[in-house]
Each structure stands twice: as structure tokens, then as C-alpha cells.
């Protein structure tokens, strides 16, 4: 698979032409083909790509993975 901008027509059998993007957004444009490929492979495998396979959740509440004592503000008196 060849991914890029302004690719020649005879560059390969499986090509994904990318649009021009501002430099600040290039990181997002670069990852889209990999995300699309992962989603397609998940569908072919019959796997739900929107659910966790090895754990049910990562973050329980708005404090994330912090311990209980880190949640309360410290008393400075």
C-alpha cells in the first residue's frame, strides 16, 4: 500500500491519495489511512473495533486513574 500526495498513477496497485494539508494538521492526515485499514481488518475478522477486548474500561470517573488522596485538594493550613 502506498500512501501520499501527488502519487504517480503507475506507483502501485493499492494507493491512497492524500489531500494537501496545513503543516499543523499533517499528523492527523498521516494517521487516517492506518485507522481506516485497522477498521476494515476488524470488520473482516468479525471484531467490534469500538469495544475494549482486554479490559472493560480505562477511566472510571473525571479523575481518571488518580488515587483517592490525589483527588481532594490539600489543606495548606
Amino acid at each position: 500500500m502506498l500512501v501520499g500526495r501527488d502519487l504517480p498513477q503507475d506507483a502501485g496497485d493499492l494507493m491512497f491519495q492524500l489531500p494537501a494539508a496545513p503543516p499543523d494538521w499533517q499528523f492527523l492526515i498521516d494517521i487516517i489511512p492506518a485507522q481506516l485499514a485497522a477498521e476494515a481488518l476488524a470488520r473482516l475478522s468479525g471484531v467490534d473495533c469500538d469495544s475494549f477486548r482486554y479490559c472493560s474500561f480505562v477511566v472510571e470517573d473525571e479523575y481518571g486513574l488518580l488515587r483517592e488522596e490525589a483527588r481532594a485538594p490539600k489543606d495548606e493550613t
Side-chain angles (χ1 to χ4, degrees):
M1 180 175 190
L2 187 59
V3 178
R5 287 184 292 212
D6 302 322
L7 299 173
Q9 293 299 323
D10 59 351
D13 293 332
L14 185 57
M15 297 184 346
F16 192 82
Q17 290 274 3
L18 294 176
D24 292 343
W25 288 90
Q26 190 62 44
F27 74 97
L28 184 61
I29 299 297
D30 290 342
I31 196 63
I32 288 174
Q35 292 290 328
L36 292 173
E39 193 271 337
L41 289 173
R43 278 190 191 190
L44 289 172
S45 301
V47 175
D48 179 13
C49 64
D50 293 325
S51 65
F52 289 105
R53 291 178 66 182
Y54 301 110
C55 64
S56 57
F57 55 84
V58 176
V59 178
E60 230 177 79
D61 59 22
E62 65 185 273
Y63 295 104
L65 302 175
L66 296 176
R67 296 191 320 254
E68 190 68 36
E69 56 270 8
R71 294 179 184 182
K74 297 190 187 250
D75 186 17
E76 296 185 21
T77 58

